Amino acid sequence: MTGMRSQAPMRSVQKKDSESGERAVPKVERSATTGHWMQLQRTLGNRRVGELLQRNMQLSAEPTEIVVQRAPGLPTKQDLESDGLKAGTKFGLGKTSWGNLGDALVVYEKLGNTDYAAQKEQLTKIEHILGEWRASYNLRESNKKLKKKDPAKLLKVNEILESIKQRRAVILEAEAPSDGRDGRRRAEAFSKREVIAPLTRQQEIVEEKKEMKASETMDEYLKKSGYKQDRNYMSWGNGTIAHVSWKAHVGSGDASQRLDIAQMVSPLLKSWEVYHKFDITPTPKPIDKFLTVYPPDADEEWENIVNMLESALGGFATVDVTGDMPVGETGKVNMRHGQNTPLTPSMLRGVDVASDGKVGDFTKMVGTAVQGDGLPLWELGGKLFFNKIETAEPPSKLNPNTIYMAILVDGRIVPDKREEPNPANVPLPKGVKKFERL
């Protein structure tokens, strides 16, 4: 039975600007001097000051301390260090660029919330630093150095780049001329020092809808990122996949988070050049195999891939994957060893198996390599499978309720029992550990 692990999102970089906007309201008492209101108008703009006036905050001759929120949208240097992402690594990779990034974030943090020109200039500088770091990261070609790549830093870089894009969209919208009726009404009210009536909840909903930016769907994001559609999946990768192998799955428990997960892990998986796919079924229900990751070129890379996925999924709601084994430190990533492609007679060269005659359209296969625990092995249409029950007769229907697909593992032909995460009893990839729930 599928179990759900729900966690509230804890993403430190991609904060919604509606949240940032709420924090952007200065701490103001019930009254403030005229000079303070003028300062607020310069730093926050007419609209935000109008909202303060709607809360019945009055002008006064008494001085009041006003704290203006700094530029939102990006992590601080302290945020990076609190995540353990200091300049460089023990291998000395990316030390210069990562140190420059911290310094650039310090400069950005000191900018005012509405210093849009300065923000845009600094965002461009940060992008340039991240571009140099990514170029250095991608040049580490040898397998020896590949193991020393830092998935946590790559994850943070992609988060920051996405946040820069979102912040630019907010700045573009904020700088657009406001000539609507409500905009003029608020500006005129402020200039006359008048308190305007608060908006009703219905009016607030209308305003919120106006401010919402049109967002792309997961299908649109994956298509423009080079993914190809196959049934209800969007797949990325080239080449052939092994007949059997370890696979990783991630289940999604919250439909509203699926685009965010795709945007988070897609660039990372592509950088590792591993074949993977997303389930794009439009359903609000949980999807237990939302993401499938097929084996990398080197089996020892599984450890880094599992660690990277766990870091990316920390704040998202995931679900257990039926028939899989939870692995890693959190159990949010699940793995299973089994079939990727059907077992065919042509793949049995050198394996002790032979025909035992036909029963209708079916051919019964026998031999010392057949290890189905008493279940009969059949061939039909060039594919091999086991009956789920011990009977001399072939199955009447070929579906998961009546058959197990056959798999060839180390010269043994065994049934791929989908309710078991490791039907052939193959060791987990090096460095990957089974997750044990307390």
Side-chain angles (χ1 to χ4, degrees):
M1 182 174 180
T2 300
M4 180 179 292
R5 298 187 299 275
S6 298
Q7 292 181 331
M10 298 173 60
R11 300 166 65 194
S12 63
V13 178
Q14 297 184 32
K15 299 180 177 67
K16 295 182 180 178
D17 280 277
S18 61
E19 298 173 357
S20 298
E22 186 64 27
R23 289 191 296 275
V25 177
K27 179 182 178 182
V28 182
E29 303 296 336
R30 276 294 177 180
S31 62
T33 65
T34 303
H36 285 145
W37 285 113
M38 297 303 292
Q39 178 186 348
L40 290 177
Q41 183 187 24
R42 288 192 298 270
T43 56
L44 296 182
N46 290 338
R47 177 170 183 171
R48 300 302 287 164
V49 173
E51 291 174 354
L52 294 176
L53 289 171
Q54 290 175 34
R55 301 178 188 179
N56 295 322
M57 295 178 181
Q58 304 294 334
L59 296 178
S60 168
E62 297 297 325
T64 304
E65 180 184 359
I66 299 175
V67 181
V68 178
Q69 175 70 28
R70 298 302 181 183
L74 297 184
T76 65
K77 184 178 181 180
Q78 288 182 337
D79 290 334
L80 297 185
E81 294 182 355
S82 67
D83 291 338
L85 303 177
K86 297 183 179 180
T89 69
K90 62 181 180 181
F91 305 110
L93 302 178
K95 184 174 181 179
T96 301
S97 294
W98 205 257
N100 291 342
L101 172 62
D103 294 340
L105 290 174
V106 170
V107 174
Y108 179 82
E109 182 187 358
K110 293 179 180 179
L111 299 176
N113 184 42
T114 55
D115 293 342
Y116 297 135
Q119 286 182 41
K120 287 188 289 186
E121 181 180 355
Q122 195 62 18
L123 291 174
T124 300
K125 291 179 180 179
I126 293 172
E127 268 186 330
H128 179 70
I129 294 170
L130 296 180
E132 288 184 338
W133 186 89
R134 282 298 299 266
S136 171
Y137 189 92
N138 292 332
L139 285 175
R140 299 166 210 165
E141 296 175 349
S142 72
N143 285 335
K144 184 177 180 181
K145 286 187 177 180
L146 188 64
K147 297 175 190 176
K148 298 177 182 178
K149 284 187 173 181
D150 193 332
K153 284 190 176 181
L154 182 60
L155 172 64
K156 187 61 66 176
V157 164
N158 286 303
E159 287 180 346
I160 296 174
L161 289 172
E162 180 64 25
S163 297
I164 289 174
K165 182 175 69 173
Q166 293 182 2
R167 184 60 187 165
R168 280 204 177 107
V170 171
I171 292 173
L172 182 64
E173 183 179 356
E175 290 183 325
S178 176
D179 56 359
R181 179 181 301 172
D182 189 62
R184 291 195 302 272
R185 182 175 70 94
R186 296 185 186 202
E188 291 170 359
F190 177 78
S191 65
K192 297 176 182 178
R193 304 294 186 264
E194 295 176 352
V195 178
I196 57 178
L199 296 177
T200 66
R201 180 55 190 150
Q202 187 60 38
Q203 288 172 320
E204 289 179 352
I205 292 174
V206 172
E207 288 297 312
E208 289 169 1
K209 288 182 177 180
K210 287 180 182 178
E211 294 176 1
M212 287 178 61
K213 298 184 293 293
S215 60
E216 60 188 346
T217 66
M218 189 171 70
D219 295 21
E220 292 169 342
Y221 169 75
L222 294 173
K223 284 179 181 178
K224 78 175 186 181
S225 300
Y227 287 73
K228 305 298 182 184
Q229 186 164 358
D230 176 20
R231 297 164 296 157
N232 60 309
Y233 296 99
M234 293 290 281
S235 302
W236 187 91
N238 299 311
T240 59
I241 302 177
H243 163 57
V244 292
S245 70
W246 282 101
K247 298 181 286 286
H249 294 117
V250 173
S252 168
D254 186 343
S256 67
Q257 296 178 348
R258 287 169 193 160
L259 172 60
D260 290 335
I261 293 176
Q263 291 173 330
M264 184 78 73
V265 305
S266 168
L268 303 176
L269 292 172
K270 290 168 72 174
S271 73
W272 282 89
E273 298 184 353
V274 291
Y275 188 95
H276 60 282
K277 63 184 181 182
F278 292 92
D279 189 330
I280 57 172
T281 303
T283 174
K285 298 180 180 179
I287 299 179
D288 68 347
K289 293 182 181 178
F290 168 64
L291 168 65
T292 301
V293 181
Y294 291 94
D297 291 336
D299 201 49
E300 60 266 24
E301 292 176 6
W302 266 122
E303 180 182 7
N304 284 333
I305 291 174
V306 170
N307 291 341
M308 176 272 291
L309 287 173
E310 285 197 308
S311 296
L313 297 167
F316 294 105
T318 59
V319 294
D320 292 331
V321 179
T322 304
D324 277 26
M325 176 193 312
V327 297
E329 298 295 327
T330 64
K332 283 180 170 289
V333 179
N334 299 261
M335 294 189 74
R336 183 181 191 277
H337 187 276
Q339 183 197 81
N340 296 320
T341 63
L343 179 61
T344 63
S346 63
M347 299 166 64
L348 301 179
R349 294 173 185 171
V351 180
D352 183 15
V353 63
S355 170
D356 190 38
K358 295 182 72 67
V359 179
D361 295 329
F362 297 79
T363 301
K364 189 173 183 180
M365 310 297 287
V366 297
T368 59
V370 178
Q371 300 181 27
D373 296 328
L375 301 177
L377 175 65
W378 299 94
E379 183 272 331
L380 178 67
K383 297 180 182 179
L384 295 164
F385 54 88
F386 285 87
N387 251 18
K388 279 193 173 182
I389 58 175
E390 297 181 22
T391 174
E393 296 296 321
S396 58
K397 293 182 179 180
L398 299 183
N399 60 51
N401 295 323
T402 61
I403 67 171
Y404 293 121
M405 297 304 295
I407 54 177
L408 178 64
V409 181
D410 297 329
R412 300 175 295 134
I413 304 175
V414 298
D416 186 9
K417 299 180 178 180
R418 290 290 171 167
E419 64 271 19
E420 298 178 11
N422 192 5
N425 197 26
V426 176
L428 275 166
K430 183 179 178 180
V432 178
K433 297 179 180 179
K434 181 179 178 181
F435 174 74
E436 299 291 348
R437 288 193 172 85
L438 300 178

